[in-house]
Amino acid sequence: MLDLTELEQLTAFADMGTLSMAAEKLHISQPTITRTMQHLEEVFGVSLFVRGKNKITLNDTGLKAVEQARQLLSAADNALRTVRAFDKSLRTITISSCAPAPLWYVLPVLSSAYPDMTIASSIKSMPAICEDLDSGFCQLAILPQNVQYEHYVNIPFLKENLSVCVPASHALSERSSVTFSELNGFNFLLKSEIGFWDEMCRLQMPASKFLVQKDQFEFEELVRESSLPCFTTNLAKDEQNLLADRIKIPVTDSEANVTYYLACHSQVRAFDSLYFYNTCL
């Protein structure tokens, strides 16, 4: 029976060229790896080495044995990772979301309902979310529209409405509402990792330029000190009171007023408790 540890020693010998260097790499003694090479020849039942004075090298059969050993080691490693990933999936609820705000509401509910489960979430593009649903990578998806998937149920649970925030001196400060066409051409501060909102703003305002900030502190400083408009929503949390001196103007386009849907497989019962979000409408 082939032993994976011995096969690892064989591939190390092939990589390093000498028994002493292979032993050093694997932190074992040279007599140990010498005995392994001899045992491998007994297991295979063929000669694997050309032996010279104080030196051995792989013969053609030995090179083939190394090739097979690498494949077996790779398969074994893949089996370990697959089994571990499967075991983790049994204890993990994976969520793919189109935006950050819905996660602020879903994650606490799931954590409370399933304290023994790990909750993993990520913000992705719509194509990536669709792929996650199709492949079964995620158990729960958050979409900005009611997209029909076979064998999946969609639950409307939350609304998010976009507003633009401008200083009192801004040209739009007297407006009670605006549209994307009226905003098109103005430059904006924009946070990173806001999901589909980023692409939507760029699509609706092609003449505008966006100063995207990844660092939260830098974004907050620019909001305080800059005259550039920024965005907020009814779900956004302004814990630092950043927008106190700015005027919030609702954006009336339908694209700026989104109903989020939870999507999960119709046979997944783990998310029954989330149906109460229907009352958020």
Side-chain angles (χ1 to χ4, degrees), residues 166-169 224 238 241-247:
V166 300
S169 59
R224 290 189 182 98
D238 187 17
N241 209 25
L242 290 174
L243 306 178
D245 296 329
R246 288 184 172 237
I247 299 170

Side-chain angles (χ1 to χ4, degrees), residues 233-245:
T233 75
N234 59 308
L235 302 180
K237 302 174 182 177
D238 187 17
E239 296 175 352
Q240 302 298 323
N241 209 25
L242 290 174
L243 306 178
D245 296 329

Side-chain angles (χ1 to χ4, degrees), residues 262-274:
L262 296 173
C264 62
H265 198 282
S266 57
Q267 294 181 352
V268 175
R269 300 180 59 188
F271 307 111
D272 288 349
S273 64
L274 293 174

Side-chain angles (χ1 to χ4, degrees), residues 55-280:
K55 183 180 181 180
I56 67 170
T57 57
L58 290 161
N59 60 25
D60 289 343
T61 304
L63 291 173
K64 175 58 82 173
V66 170
E67 177 187 322
Q68 295 300 309
R70 293 191 195 280
Q71 293 180 20
L72 288 171
L73 290 169
S74 177
D77 182 63
N78 183 64
L80 286 174
R81 287 187 285 105
T82 299
V83 171
R84 288 168 180 168
F86 176 76
D87 179 69
K88 183 179 179 181
S89 72
L90 297 177
R91 296 175 285 105
T92 302
I93 299 174
T94 302
I95 309 168
S96 297
S97 178
C98 64
L103 292 174
W104 304 339
Y105 295 82
V106 171
L107 295 182
V109 173
L110 288 175
S111 296
S112 177
Y114 307 103
D116 296 330
M117 301 287 283
T118 298
I119 313 298
S121 65
S122 57
I123 300 172
K124 297 187 176 183
S125 66
M126 281 294 292
I129 294 174
C130 294
E131 183 177 338
D132 287 351
L133 279 172
D134 290 339
S135 66
F137 174 80
C138 67
Q139 289 78 43
L140 184 66
I142 300 175
L143 307 169
Q145 58 205 50
N146 188 4
V147 180
Q148 297 299 320
Y149 292 95
E150 187 177 3
H151 306 307
Y152 279 82
V153 293
N154 292 330
I155 309 165
F157 80 105
L158 195 64
K159 288 185 177 180
E160 187 167 27
N161 306 311
L162 188 69
S163 294
V164 62
C165 299
V166 300
S169 59
H170 196 275
L172 297 173
S173 61
E174 299 296 327
R175 298 292 302 273
S176 60
S177 65
V178 289
T179 64
F180 280 126
S181 62
E182 293 169 328
L183 295 175
N184 190 29
F186 287 100
N187 298 329
F188 289 87
L189 291 173
L190 203 64
K191 290 181 67 175
S192 63
E193 299 181 358
I194 56 175
F196 81 100
W197 287 114
D198 186 296
E199 182 179 357
M200 191 266 288
C201 287
R202 296 176 189 275
L203 181 64
Q204 297 295 328
M205 297 179 288
S208 297
K209 294 182 179 179
F210 300 92
L211 181 59
V212 179
Q213 295 299 305
K214 295 182 179 180
D215 184 88
Q216 179 67 21
F217 175 78
E218 292 180 358
F219 177 80
E220 292 174 359
E221 286 299 298
L222 285 171
V223 171
R224 290 189 182 98
E225 303 297 333
S226 171
S227 61
L228 288 173
C230 61
F231 291 104
T232 189
T233 75
N234 59 308
L235 302 180
K237 302 174 182 177
D238 187 17
E239 296 175 352
Q240 302 298 323
N241 209 25
L242 290 174
L243 306 178
D245 296 329
R246 288 184 172 237
I247 299 170
K248 299 179 184 178
I249 310 170
V251 182
T252 58
D253 302 77
S254 59
E255 294 86 353
N257 298 278
V258 176
T259 297
Y260 290 111
Y261 287 80
L262 296 173
C264 62
H265 198 282
S266 57
Q267 294 181 352
V268 175
R269 300 180 59 188
F271 307 111
D272 288 349
S273 64
L274 293 174
Y275 273 80
F276 79 90
Y277 274 119
N278 280 300
T279 61
C280 293

